[in-house]
Coordinates of all heavy atoms in Angstrom, one line a residue:
S124 N 92.6 95.2 100.6 CA 91.7 95.2 99.4 C 90.6 96.2 99.5 O 90.4 96.9 98.5 CB 91.1 93.8 99.2 OG 90.3 93.7 98.0
T125 N 90.0 96.3 100.7 CA 88.9 97.3 100.8 C 89.4 98.7 100.7 O 88.9 99.6 100.0 CB 88.2 97.1 102.2 OG1 87.8 95.7 102.3 CG2 87.0 98.0 102.3
L126 N 90.5 99.0 101.4 CA 91.1 100.4 101.4 C 91.6 100.8 100.0 O 91.4 101.9 99.6 CB 92.2 100.5 102.5 CG 91.7 100.5 103.9 CD1 92.9 100.5 104.9 CD2 90.8 101.7 104.2
S127 N 92.2 99.9 99.4 CA 92.8 100.2 98.0 C 91.6 100.4 97.0 O 91.7 101.3 96.2 CB 93.7 99.1 97.5 OG 93.1 97.8 97.5
T128 N 90.5 99.6 97.2 CA 89.4 99.8 96.3 C 88.7 101.2 96.6 O 88.3 101.9 95.6 CB 88.4 98.7 96.5 OG1 89.0 97.4 96.2 CG2 87.2 98.9 95.6
L129 N 88.6 101.5 97.8 CA 88.0 102.8 98.2 C 88.9 103.9 97.6 O 88.3 104.9 97.0 CB 88.0 103.0 99.7 CG 87.7 104.3 100.3 CD1 86.3 104.7 99.9 CD2 87.9 104.4 101.8
M130 N 90.2 103.9 97.7 CA 91.0 104.9 97.2 C 91.0 104.9 95.6 O 91.2 106.0 95.0 CB 92.4 104.8 97.7 CG 92.5 105.1 99.2 SD 91.6 106.6 99.8 CE 92.3 107.9 98.8
L131 N 90.8 103.8 95.0 CA 90.8 103.7 93.6 C 89.5 104.5 93.1 O 89.6 105.3 92.1 CB 90.7 102.2 93.1 CG 90.5 102.0 91.6 CD1 91.7 102.5 90.9 CD2 90.3 100.6 91.3
F132 N 88.4 104.3 93.7 CA 87.2 105.1 93.4 C 87.4 106.6 93.6 O 87.0 107.4 92.7 CB 86.0 104.6 94.2 CG 85.3 103.4 93.6 CD1 85.5 102.1 94.1 CD2 84.5 103.5 92.5 CE1 84.8 101.0 93.5 CE2 83.8 102.4 91.9 CZ 84.0 101.2 92.4
R133 N 88.0 106.9 94.7 CA 88.3 108.3 94.9 C 89.2 108.9 93.9 O 89.0 110.0 93.4 CB 88.9 108.5 96.3 CG 87.9 108.3 97.5 CD 88.6 108.5 98.8 NE 89.1 109.9 99.0 CZ 88.4 110.9 99.5 NH1 87.1 110.6 100.0 NH2 88.9 112.1 99.6
A134 N 90.3 108.2 93.6 CA 91.3 108.7 92.6 C 90.7 108.8 91.2 O 90.9 109.8 90.5 CB 92.5 107.8 92.6
A135 N 89.9 107.8 90.8 CA 89.3 107.9 89.5 C 88.3 109.0 89.4 O 88.1 109.6 88.3 CB 88.7 106.5 89.2
A136 N 87.7 109.3 90.5 CA 86.7 110.4 90.5 C 87.3 111.8 90.5 O 86.8 112.7 89.9 CB 85.7 110.2 91.6
S137 N 88.4 111.9 91.3 CA 89.0 113.2 91.5 C 90.1 113.5 90.6 O 90.4 114.7 90.3 CB 89.4 113.3 93.0 OG 90.6 112.5 93.2
G138 N 90.9 112.5 90.3 CA 92.1 112.7 89.5 C 93.3 113.3 90.3 O 94.3 113.6 89.7
R139 N 93.1 113.5 91.6 CA 94.1 114.1 92.4 C 95.3 113.1 92.7 O 95.0 111.9 92.9 CB 93.5 114.5 93.8 CG 92.6 115.7 93.7 CD 92.2 116.2 95.1 NE 91.6 115.2 95.9 CZ 90.3 115.2 96.1 NH1 89.5 116.1 95.6 NH2 89.8 114.3 96.9
W140 N 96.5 113.6 92.6 CA 97.6 112.7 92.8 C 97.7 112.1 94.2 O 98.2 111.0 94.4 CB 98.9 113.5 92.4 CG 99.3 114.6 93.4 CD1 99.0 115.9 93.3 CD2 100.1 114.4 94.6 NE1 99.5 116.6 94.4 CE2 100.2 115.7 95.2 CE3 100.7 113.3 95.2 CZ2 100.9 115.9 96.4 CZ3 101.4 113.5 96.4 CH2 101.5 114.8 97.0
R141 N 97.2 112.9 95.2 CA 97.2 112.4 96.5 C 96.3 111.1 96.7 O 96.7 110.2 97.4 CB 96.8 113.5 97.5 CG 97.8 114.5 97.8 CD 97.2 115.7 98.6 NE 96.1 116.3 98.0 CZ 95.4 117.4 98.5 NH1 95.8 117.8 99.7 NH2 94.5 117.9 97.8
D142 N 95.2 111.1 96.0 CA 94.3 109.9 96.1 C 95.0 108.7 95.4 O 94.9 107.6 95.9 CB 93.0 110.2 95.4 CG 92.2 111.2 96.2 OD1 92.4 111.3 97.4 OD2 91.3 111.9 95.6
W143 N 95.7 109.0 94.2 CA 96.4 107.9 93.6 C 97.6 107.4 94.5 O 97.9 106.2 94.5 CB 96.9 108.4 92.2 CG 95.9 108.5 91.2 CD1 95.4 109.6 90.6 CD2 95.2 107.4 90.6 NE1 94.4 109.3 89.7 CE2 94.3 107.9 89.7 CE3 95.2 106.0 90.8 CZ2 93.4 107.1 88.9 CZ3 94.3 105.2 90.1 CH2 93.4 105.7 89.1
L144 N 98.2 108.4 95.2 CA 99.3 108.0 96.1 C 98.8 107.1 97.2 O 99.4 106.0 97.5 CB 99.9 109.2 96.7 CG 101.1 108.9 97.7 CD1 102.2 108.2 97.0 CD2 101.6 110.3 98.3
W145 N 97.6 107.4 97.8 CA 97.1 106.6 98.8 C 96.6 105.2 98.2 O 96.8 104.2 98.9 CB 95.9 107.3 99.5 CG 96.3 108.2 100.5 CD1 96.2 109.6 100.5 CD2 96.9 107.9 101.8 NE1 96.7 110.1 101.7 CE2 97.2 109.1 102.5 CE3 97.3 106.7 102.4 CZ2 97.8 109.1 103.7 CZ3 97.9 106.7 103.6 CH2 98.1 107.9 104.3
Y146 N 96.1 105.2 97.0 CA 95.8 103.9 96.4 C 97.0 103.1 96.3 O 97.0 101.9 96.6 CB 95.2 104.1 95.0 CG 95.1 102.8 94.3 CD1 94.2 101.8 94.6 CD2 96.1 102.5 93.2 CE1 94.2 100.6 93.9 CE2 96.1 101.3 92.6 CZ 95.2 100.3 92.9 OH 95.2 99.1 92.3
T147 N 98.1 103.7 95.9 CA 99.4 102.9 95.7 C 99.9 102.4 97.0 O 100.3 101.2 97.1 CB 100.5 103.8 95.1 OG1 100.0 104.3 93.8 CG2 101.8 103.1 94.9
V148 N 99.8 103.2 98.1 CA 100.2 102.8 99.4 C 99.4 101.5 99.9 O 100.0 100.5 100.3 CB 100.0 103.9 100.5 CG1 100.2 103.4 101.9 CG2 101.0 105.0 100.2
F149 N 98.1 101.6 99.7 CA 97.2 100.4 100.2 C 97.4 99.2 99.3 O 97.3 98.1 99.7 CB 95.8 100.9 100.3 CG 95.5 101.9 101.4 CD1 94.8 103.0 101.1 CD2 96.0 101.6 102.7 CE1 94.6 103.9 102.1 CE2 95.8 102.5 103.7 CZ 95.0 103.7 103.4
A150 N 97.7 99.5 98.0 CA 97.9 98.3 97.1 C 99.2 97.7 97.4 O 99.3 96.4 97.4 CB 97.9 98.8 95.6
L151 N 100.2 98.5 97.8 CA 101.5 97.9 98.2 C 101.3 97.1 99.5 O 102.0 96.1 99.7 CB 102.6 99.0 98.3 CG 103.1 99.6 97.0 CD1 104.0 100.7 97.3 CD2 103.8 98.5 96.2
M152 N 100.5 97.6 100.4 CA 100.2 96.9 101.6 C 99.6 95.6 101.3 O 99.9 94.6 102.0 CB 99.3 97.8 102.5 CG 99.0 97.1 103.9 SD 98.0 98.2 105.0 CE 96.4 97.9 104.3
G153 N 98.7 95.5 100.4 CA 98.1 94.3 100.0 C 99.1 93.3 99.4 O 99.1 92.1 99.7
M154 N 100.0 93.8 98.6 CA 101.1 93.0 98.0 C 102.0 92.4 99.1 O 102.5 91.3 99.0 CB 101.9 93.8 97.0 CG 101.2 94.2 95.7 SD 100.9 92.7 94.7 CE 100.3 93.5 93.2
A155 N 102.2 93.2 100.2 CA 103.0 92.8 101.3 C 102.3 91.9 102.3 O 102.9 91.3 103.2 CB 103.6 94.0 102.0
A156 N 101.0 91.8 102.1 CA 100.2 91.0 103.0 C 99.9 89.6 102.6 O 100.0 88.6 103.4 CB 98.8 91.7 103.3
H157 N 99.6 89.4 101.3 CA 99.2 88.1 100.8 C 99.5 88.0 99.3 O 99.2 88.9 98.6 CB 97.8 87.8 101.1 CG 97.4 86.4 101.2 ND1 97.3 85.6 100.0 CD2 97.0 85.6 102.2 CE1 97.0 84.4 100.3 NE2 96.7 84.3 101.6
S158 N 99.9 86.8 98.8 CA 100.2 86.6 97.4 C 98.9 86.7 96.6 O 99.0 87.0 95.4 CB 100.9 85.3 97.2 OG 100.2 84.2 97.8

């Protein structure tokens, strides 16, 4: 949750696809961690 929130702020500020990709990675990690 913390890492995905961090990358969400970065991605929204920068608009870079790499930041959105990292947000997606950490969000998927959260989905795989707990319902």
Side-chain angles (χ1 to χ4, degrees):
S124 181
T125 304
L126 289 175
S127 58
T128 302
L129 171 64
M130 294 313 302
L131 176 65
F132 274 104
R133 287 180 62 93
S137 69
R139 293 191 297 260
W140 69 268
R141 285 175 296 181
D142 291 335
W143 285 113
L144 178 61
W145 278 112
Y146 167 73
T147 302
V148 168
F149 291 130
L151 289 174
M152 184 174 79
M154 290 292 190
H157 201 292
S158 53

